Amino acid sequence: MGAQEIHKVPSEGVACNNEDMLTLNIAPGQCRGTVLLTHGYAEHAGRYLALIAALNDAGYDVFFRDLPGHGHSAGPRARVDVAELIHLHFDMRGEVRKRMRGGPFFAFGHSMGGLVTAASALIHPEGLDGVVLSGPALRPLPDLPEALVKIMVPVGRLCPGLPAATLDAEAVSRDPAVREAYDSDPLCYHGPVPLLTGATMMDQARRTLAHAHRWDVDLPLLIFHGTKDALADVTGSRQFAAAVTSSGGHAELREVPEAFHEVFNEPEAPQLRAELVSWLGKH
C-alpha cells in the first residue's frame, strides 16, 4: 500500500479493543498532510485500499477505522445511530490531531461516512484544513417525507433492529467485478437496513442540509458524486455545495457523468484519485 508503517490508536470515548482502533498508514518520506477517512454504510475501511495507497504515495498519512457494527468492529451489524457517529467523528479527529506528523489535516467521507464527515465539520470546523466527500448521503434514497422521518427516529430507537429497507448492491458500481467483490465480502453487511440506521441517517441528512449555509467560509470543500447514484441523490450534494458557496464559502462539486454510488470504485477511479490528490496539494 505504499505505507512504511501501520499503527493502531484507540478512539477516545470508545471501548478499547482491537476493533475500536484507528489505523494509521504512514506515507513514505516527508509528510505532506494527514487524511481521516470514514467509510460508508454496510461496508468497511478495507474497501479503500487503492485510495489509501494513492494518498500514501502522494505523501499523505491516512487514519481510518471500521465504524461500530461494521467490518471488524463490535456491535450489531450495521445498526448505528448516525448522531452518535458524528460524535465519534469528533473523537477520532481529536486523536488524529494528537498524533499527526504535521501539515494540513483533511477529512474524507463516503456515503453515510460523507454525511457524518460533513456534519462533523459543519458543527466543529476548527482544526480542519479541508473536507472531501464522496457520494455523501445528504439525500439518502428513497426520499421520505420529513413528517414520516420524525416518527421513524423515536421508533427506531425503541426498535433499532426492525428491518426498514433493502440496499440494492447493483447500485454500488457499474463495474461487475466491484459488485461481485461487494456481494462476496463477508465483512460487508448484506441484510435489510435496520430502522435505527435508516431513520437517523435521514434525520441527520435533513439537519445537515438545512444548516449548510453555516459552513465555515475558510474551510474548503470538495464533493465527488455520480450523476446516476441511486442510493444517495446527487441533488443533495448540489444543494449543499450551492448553500456553501452562496454563503461565501469555497465548495467544488465534481459530478461524475453516468457514475453510480461508489465513484472511487468506478472505471473513472484513477482519474478521480489524481484529482483528489491535486486538490489536497492546493490546500
Side-chain angles (χ1 to χ4, degrees), residues 68-88:
H70 290 75
H72 291 287
S73 286
R77 295 297 85 191
R79 188 189 307 175
V80 292
D81 186 325
V82 175
E84 294 181 1
L85 293 185
I86 295 168
H87 286 276
L88 174 61

Side-chain angles (χ1 to χ4, degrees), residues 37-41 43-45 48 65-67 70 110 112-114:
L37 183 150
T38 306
H39 67 77
Y41 166 76
E43 57 163 357
H44 57 94
Y48 293 81
R65 61 157 286 175
D66 289 343
L67 295 172
H70 290 75
H110 170 69
M112 179 181 72

Side-chain angles (χ1 to χ4, degrees), residues 139-208:
R139 279 197 176 277
L141 296 170
D143 192 11
L144 300 180
E146 181 179 338
L148 179 57
V149 174
K150 287 183 176 180
I151 296 172
M152 290 170 60
V153 171
V155 175
R157 291 194 170 120
L158 286 172
C159 307
L162 195 68
T166 56
L167 186 151
D168 183 7
E170 293 293 311
V172 167
S173 171
R174 306 190 325 268
D175 186 339
V178 171
R179 297 197 301 268
E180 182 179 352
Y182 178 87
D183 284 334
S184 62
D185 189 341
L187 293 179
C188 288
Y189 172 73
H190 305 289
V193 180
L195 181 57
L196 176 65
T197 307
T200 58
M201 191 185 309
M202 288 185 283
D203 181 54
Q204 292 301 321
R206 178 185 59 81
R207 294 172 184 271
T208 302

Side-chain angles (χ1 to χ4, degrees), residues 40-44 47-48 110-111 134-135 167 169 171-175 178-179 182 188 224-226 228-231 256 259-269 272:
Y41 166 76
E43 57 163 357
H44 57 94
R47 299 186 71 240
Y48 293 81
H110 170 69
S111 191
S134 163
L167 186 151
V172 167
S173 171
R174 306 190 325 268
D175 186 339
V178 171
R179 297 197 301 268
Y182 178 87
C188 288
F224 293 91
H225 211 128
K228 297 296 185 180
D229 191 333
L231 299 177
V256 186
F260 285 10
H261 186 52
E262 295 185 350
V263 294
F264 284 94
N265 279 327
E266 287 284 66
E268 298 86 352
L272 300 181

Side-chain angles (χ1 to χ4, degrees), residues 23 31 41 48 90 92 95 133 140 206 219 238 261-262:
T23 296
C31 177
Y41 166 76
Y48 293 81
F90 297 153
M92 288 165 28
E95 282 299 320
L133 309 177
R206 178 185 59 81
L219 182 61
R238 291 169 180 164
H261 186 52
E262 295 185 350

